[in-house]
Amino acid sequence: MSDLLYSEVEEDLRASVRDLLTDRAGFTSVLARTESAEPYDLKLWRTLAADLGLAGLAVPEEMGGQGASYREVAVVLEELGRSVAPVPFLGSAVLATAALLAAGDTELLPRLAGGELIGALAVPLTTAPDAGFPDGVSANTEGALSGSVRTVADASVADVLIVPAVGPDGPGLYAVEKAGATVTEVVSLDLTRRLADVSFDNASSRLLTGPSGAEPALRQALLVGAGLLASEQVGVAQWCLDETVAYLKQRYQFGRPVGSFQALKHRLADLYLEIVSARATARYAADTLATGDSDVPVAVAVAQSTCSAVALHTAEESVQLHGGIGMTWEHPAHLYLKRAKSSELALGTPGRHRAALAGLVNLPPA
């Protein structure tokens, strides 16, 4: 049976990451970056990836990683969600790394795991795990890639792109250095996780896996991404609830704390119960991914459809319960609302995951 409780090691990991993010990714510095030409904090990324070894948590030690599991990666994502830190963890340490692991690559993986390189999986961020193999990029007989992909997460800071492309022999996964691609950043709703359009014009590439392995590797990477994104969404929701409770305890109206009014207590209690439920689904998804359980597709569908909705609802409630200040640029609530809304669409919408779940559990059509 899965153990959904956090181990002592996981709690120690959480404390280390939270201390670092509290010191280096406070709201004012994150907000300042969104308005600058360097929205990503690559110094913080190097500390997380190289010094703390978080980029290779789920990578085996013989491949340059830490030999941990996706449970530990999920704990890191919870903390990154709490801070909406502008680092390319989802794109590089989760999606690109999972694709390389599934493809059996041994060249790029150690460099991503050690934080030497940043990677990105060249698919639209909205791509669901059950989506078909993309055909926007093609490979010729020499392995040169041509075509384009829109709204790739973290591509603007990636050193290498993992590209699904269709070649003469069928689907393949290819590695392309950034110099071989044209990366154009687009305006994204979430200012702390940037999206970019990527195009290739006879770009040199290296084949990672061919027709027999490309589709399973891509699906596995998207399943891992969707399942672990649920933990980040739990972190977003938990921050919103914690900050809202703290605000309502110190905001007075009619001579008493606003939080003492029964109607608001009920709303906060409902949010707490939603987050407890969401956390359980996210932990189960992370645990099944860590153990390779056959229930992974079901666990991921349940976690994504639950956590997306809970994160968005909690962020919306946070903005409203903060009153006027929740609507201002100077208050961090808007960053969390945008992250929650953006993540709701990422790696499959809640409706897409619920539809997938219906098929997985043989639910008859309505």
Side-chain angles (χ1 to χ4, degrees):
M1 171 179 266
S2 299
D3 182 3
L4 303 187
L5 299 178
Y6 298 98
S7 69
E8 186 175 340
V9 172
E10 290 167 347
E11 291 294 2
D12 289 343
L13 174 64
R14 178 195 305 284
S16 298
V17 177
R18 184 174 296 186
D19 287 347
L20 176 66
L21 295 178
T22 300
D23 184 47
R24 301 272 295 275
F27 164 65
T28 52
S29 64
V30 172
L31 183 61
R33 283 197 171 276
T34 66
E35 300 174 304
S36 75
E38 296 181 355
Y40 281 94
D41 189 342
L42 295 184
K43 289 184 178 178
L44 173 61
W45 168 249
R46 281 190 285 275
T47 303
L48 288 165
D51 298 347
L52 295 185
L54 303 186
L57 266 180
V59 177
E61 291 182 274
E62 60 271 23
M63 294 183 182
Q66 303 301 313
S69 76
Y70 287 126
R71 286 177 60 106
E72 286 78 9
V73 178
V75 170
V76 174
L77 279 166
E78 279 187 40
E79 294 307 309
L80 290 174
R82 285 181 63 95
S83 68
V84 290
V87 292
F89 192 87
L90 181 69
S92 185
V94 177
L95 290 170
T97 297
L100 291 172
L101 273 170
D105 174 79
T106 56
E107 292 186 31
L108 282 173
L109 198 53
R111 303 179 72 186
L112 260 65
E116 180 184 347
L117 295 179
I118 297 173
L121 182 62
V123 296
L125 183 58
T126 53
T127 306
D130 63 351
F133 197 85
D135 58 1
V137 180
S138 60
N140 64 21
T141 52
E142 283 77 37
L145 305 189
S146 297
S148 61
V149 188
R150 303 192 65 183
T151 63
V152 179
D154 299 331
S156 56
V157 291
D159 302 297
V160 62
L161 297 155
I162 311 304
V163 187
V166 180
D169 298 326
L173 271 188
Y174 298 80
V176 179
E177 293 185 5
K178 186 176 182 179
T182 300
V183 179
T184 306
E185 195 166 90
V186 299
V187 177
S188 55
L189 176 64
D190 181 1
L191 301 173
T192 58
R193 176 178 288 143
R194 297 300 176 115
L195 305 177
D197 294 341
V198 182
S199 60
F200 307 95
D201 184 8
N202 278 323
S204 298
S205 69
R206 181 171 66 84
L207 180 64
L208 297 169
T209 183
S212 62
E215 289 190 69
L218 178 61
R219 176 172 166 75
Q220 173 66 12
L222 294 172
L223 267 177
V224 169
L228 296 183
L229 180 64
S231 291
E232 184 191 279
Q233 291 166 319
V234 169
V236 168
Q238 190 66 60
W239 182 92
C240 291
L241 177 60
D242 292 346
E243 290 297 312
T244 304
V245 170
Y247 174 73
L248 294 182
K249 287 167 72 176
Q250 57 89 27
R251 173 83 166 90
Y252 274 68
Q253 191 75 24
F254 307 116
R256 55 189 286 195
V258 171
S260 66
F261 291 101
Q262 195 69 21
L264 296 188
K265 287 182 179 179
H266 285 168
R267 289 171 68 173
L268 294 171
D270 288 343
L271 292 178
Y272 172 78
L273 291 175
E274 287 184 27
I275 293 173
V276 168
S277 175
R279 187 184 302 279
T281 66
R283 289 294 291 167
Y284 181 61
D287 188 75
T288 57
L289 286 167
T291 58
D293 193 292
S294 60
D295 206 30
V296 164
V298 171
V300 169
V302 171
Q304 255 309 302
S305 57
T306 302
C307 296
S308 291
V310 170
L312 183 59
H313 182 217
T314 310
E316 289 173 342
E317 286 285 83
S318 178
V319 170
Q320 188 175 75
L321 292 174
H322 272 84
I325 67 168
M327 299 295 292
T328 62
W329 186 257
E330 290 75 15
H331 195 277
H334 67 94
L335 289 180
Y336 289 83
L337 179 59
K338 290 167 183 171
R339 171 64 68 89
K341 187 60 183 173
S342 174
S343 296
E344 183 192 28
L345 305 178
L347 300 168
T349 63
R352 179 71 176 261
H353 284 285
R354 282 194 288 271
L357 178 63
L360 290 167
V361 299
N362 298 318
L363 192 68

